[in-house]
Amino acid sequence: SYELTQPPSVSVSPGQTARITCSADALPKQYAYWYQQKPGQAPVLVIYKDSERPSGIPERFSGSSSGTTVTLTISGVQAEDEADYYCQSADSSGTSVVFGGGTKLTVL
Amino acid sequence: QVQLQESGPGLVKPSQTLSLTCTVSGGSISSGGYYWSWIRQHPGKGLEWIGYIYYSGSTYYNPSLKSRVTISVDTSKNQFSLKLSSVTAADTAVYYCARVFLMYDFWSGYYYPNWFDPWGQGTLVTVSS
């Protein structure tokens, strides 16, 4: 089955830049999306179509794509950014949705 | 703005059918332009997409769950529902419903799923005797 691969954890100090990657073979052909999930809450969309930011999402959140890897970048990380982050895309057919395994961002 | 709310039993016995409903407010399912989806999250684990439905009733399911899943829509009530049959303890999870933005491909005539927004708050379903 098709999989999106994320690192299990990323740690950064406040004010630093956090980068979370997501890799898969079909990513050059499919958009990727990113969600933030805090404990006990539903996921919230933070990036769509690789690099677009929904209204209400702070500018410190950005996304990029290069080949088979997409990256969520959080610049000037704040304590409130500590959460699980999931990438989402589709398989090569475009019809079957898949989520990455999630990355726990720890703000030291 | 659009809001979604899951409802249904929080406890289901093994081998029975799990049934959940998602009520949509602030927008009409029958207006089209979106898929409506179910996603689940096992305790302490990641997100697993279950399937989605269009207001017309067209569905697409996760191949790993397809044999046990049925998603239906009731446009008169602005609701869509999930049924998961023959449940086991492995189906214990928080179940979310969400709206799915889609993109129409003129050449294939298919609506491709894009991003999920918004999500319902989620409901925990425990499978236990």
Side-chain angles (χ1 to χ4, degrees):
Chain A
S1 62
Y2 186 66
E3 294 182 353
L4 300 177
T5 300
Q6 298 181 235
S9 62
V10 169
S11 299
V12 296
S13 300
Q16 290 190 328
T17 297
R19 294 181 178 86
I20 300 172
T21 59
C22 174
S23 301
D25 289 342
L27 284 176
K29 299 180 180 179
Q30 302 290 346
Y31 282 123
Y33 314 96
W34 290 94
Y35 303 88
Q36 177 194 67
Q37 186 180 35
K38 295 182 178 180
Q41 298 183 19
V44 172
L45 179 75
V46 294
I47 293 290
Y48 67 100
K49 289 187 177 179
D50 291 347
S51 59
E52 300 293 322
R53 191 175 55 248
S55 61
I57 300 302
E59 292 185 6
R60 62 180 182 274
F61 288 87
S62 64
S64 61
S65 176
S66 179
T68 59
T69 299
V70 293
T71 302
L72 171 68
T73 299
I74 310 172
S75 304
V77 167
Q78 301 180 7
E80 67 194 51
D81 299 330
E82 186 164 283
D84 293 326
Y85 291 85
Y86 294 91
C87 61
Q88 174 242 316
S89 187
D91 66 1
S92 57
S93 74
T95 58
S96 196
V97 173
V98 61
F99 289 93
T103 298
K104 181 176 181 57
L105 175 65
T106 299
V107 181
L108 301 171
Chain B
Q1 74 267 21
V2 172
Q3 294 182 313
L4 296 89
Q5 178 69 57
E6 305 88 352
S7 61
L11 181 63
V12 181
K13 295 185 186 308
S15 79
Q16 294 190 341
T17 296
L18 179 160
S19 297
L20 295 175
T21 296
C22 182
T23 300
V24 179
S25 59
S28 174
I29 288 178
S30 57
S31 65
Y34 305 98
Y35 283 129
W36 303 90
S37 185
W38 288 97
I39 308 98
R40 71 180 181 179
Q41 185 170 35
H42 295 103
K45 302 296 183 183
L47 302 167
E48 180 180 30
W49 168 68
I50 298 171
Y52 53 74
I53 189 166
Y54 196 52
Y55 79 95
S56 61
S58 298
T59 55
Y60 201 90
Y61 301 134
N62 185 327
S64 69
L65 296 168
K66 186 176 182 179
S67 63
R68 298 194 291 131
V69 172
T70 302
I71 297 177
S72 58
V73 64
D74 186 337
T75 54
S76 67
K77 295 181 178 179
N78 219 31
Q79 296 174 334
F80 62 104
S81 299
L82 168 70
K83 290 189 184 300
L84 182 65
S85 64
S86 305
V87 298
T88 68
D91 295 308
T92 294
V94 174
Y95 286 77
Y96 295 98
C97 58
R99 180 180 65 173
V100 188
F101 284 70
L102 49 81
M103 179 187 69
Y104 179 70
D105 181 79
F106 176 81
W107 299 107
S108 66
Y110 190 80
Y111 292 96
Y112 289 98
N114 282 209
W115 63 95
F116 294 65
D117 182 60
W119 297 56
Q121 67 183 27
T123 186
L124 174 63
V125 179
T126 301
V127 178
S128 176
S129 56

